Amino acid sequence: MSAAAPSFWRRGSEEVSLARLHLMRATALLGVWGLFATMQALFVHDPLDRGVHKALIGGLWLMAVLAFRYPLKMVPILLFEMTWKLVWLLAFGLPQYWSGAGSPRLGEDLWSIGVFPFVCAIVIPWGYVWRHYLRAPGERWR
Amino acid sequence: MTAPAAPEELSLLRLYVMRAVYFLIAFGEGSQVVPALFVHEPTARGVIPALLSGLCLLCVLGLRYPKAMLPLLLFEMAWKTIWFFAFGLPQYLSGEVPPTFAEDFKAITVGVVIMPLVVPWGYVWRHYVKAAGDRWR
């Protein structure tokens, strides 16, 4: 048996396993589907809406479309998803949950934001991240 | 005799321009948004500061890997362009604006103008449009 033989579950000589790629694509598809309502809100909204939140989500929607085709190249977006949601959970979600006084949308946000760092942690190919975003030599400086 | 080096995909100038923008987002924008994580209304929803802080944190990686972290720059360009055309410009033209408009318009419009100059379009075309997608089987 060759250690380099890829199978559905093993990456072998590939960067990640096929199972991982499918999982990443499924996550991208979930993003495309889940954020679609916000995309519609870009066209129909209160004229005085600040819009920053909706625009940020709109940008993420476009990135999710790209991630469906190029899951590995778009890993930075998965890292970003995990980071901002973790930041939200630590700086806003959990302190408000524990204090008992939170924003009116806390309950909803705890599900739609607070749970996702853990989902991302499962989906992200950490070996790939380690090899390409930490151990790899940086781009040249001269 | 050593083999000739493969041609570089991006010029050194381009790498420096990209790094400068990662730096500006990480530390310039970061110094504005990260404090809001610690000092805010106890009932603030917090989604916008969290999103922007997450972006600033990851842009630190862009200093070392400007090419690999390119999706962050694409995201930055995308959301600012979306805001400009879906919110900023219509509100500016109608004259009816939210209280945060002046600050948002300035900060975001700068991004809308600068980002298309920073993004290496040839590289994006080759790697994010024309390149074959990751394998399916």
Side-chain angles (χ1 to χ4, degrees), chain A residues 24-34 64 68:
Chain A
M24 292 166 79
R25 282 197 175 100
T27 310
L29 210 54
L30 184 72
V32 172
W33 174 71
F68 186 70

Side-chain angles (χ1 to χ4, degrees), chain A:
Chain A
M1 193 184 87
S2 159
S7 71
F8 185 75
W9 297 106
R10 290 176 173 278
R11 77 179 181 92
S13 55
E14 301 282 353
E15 287 287 0
V16 297
S17 71
L18 203 50
R20 172 73 60 182
L21 278 180
H22 288 331
L23 182 63
M24 292 166 79
R25 282 197 175 100
T27 310
L29 210 54
L30 184 72
V32 172
W33 174 71
L35 303 178
F36 187 69
T38 308
M39 287 306 283
Q40 292 167 307
L42 295 179
F43 300 96
V44 184
H45 55 78
D46 181 339
L48 289 181
D49 192 333
R50 185 182 176 198
V52 171
H53 181 193
K54 291 190 176 81
L56 281 159
I57 301 296
L60 271 179
W61 186 84
L62 286 177
M63 296 303 113
V65 172
L66 267 182
F68 186 70
R69 184 161 156 84
Y70 302 112
L72 284 178
K73 283 176 196 165
M74 299 305 280
V75 158
I77 296 297
L78 267 182
L79 293 174
F80 167 62
E81 270 289 280
M82 193 183 79
T83 307
W84 86 259
K85 287 179 168 169
L86 195 61
V87 164
W88 180 86
L89 192 63
L90 296 177
F92 296 90
L94 285 180
Q96 292 183 4
Y97 179 74
W98 284 326
S99 77
S103 88
R105 306 182 63 167
L106 180 66
E108 187 190 326
D109 286 346
L110 277 171
W111 277 109
S112 63
I113 301 173
V115 169
F116 269 84
F118 305 101
V119 175
C120 291
I122 293 170
V123 173
I124 290 172
W126 289 107
Y128 180 83
V129 170
W130 171 251
R131 290 193 301 279
H132 289 266
Y133 296 90
L134 291 169
R135 226 186 47 184
E139 290 294 332
R140 69 197 196 282
W141 286 90
R142 60 209 167 94

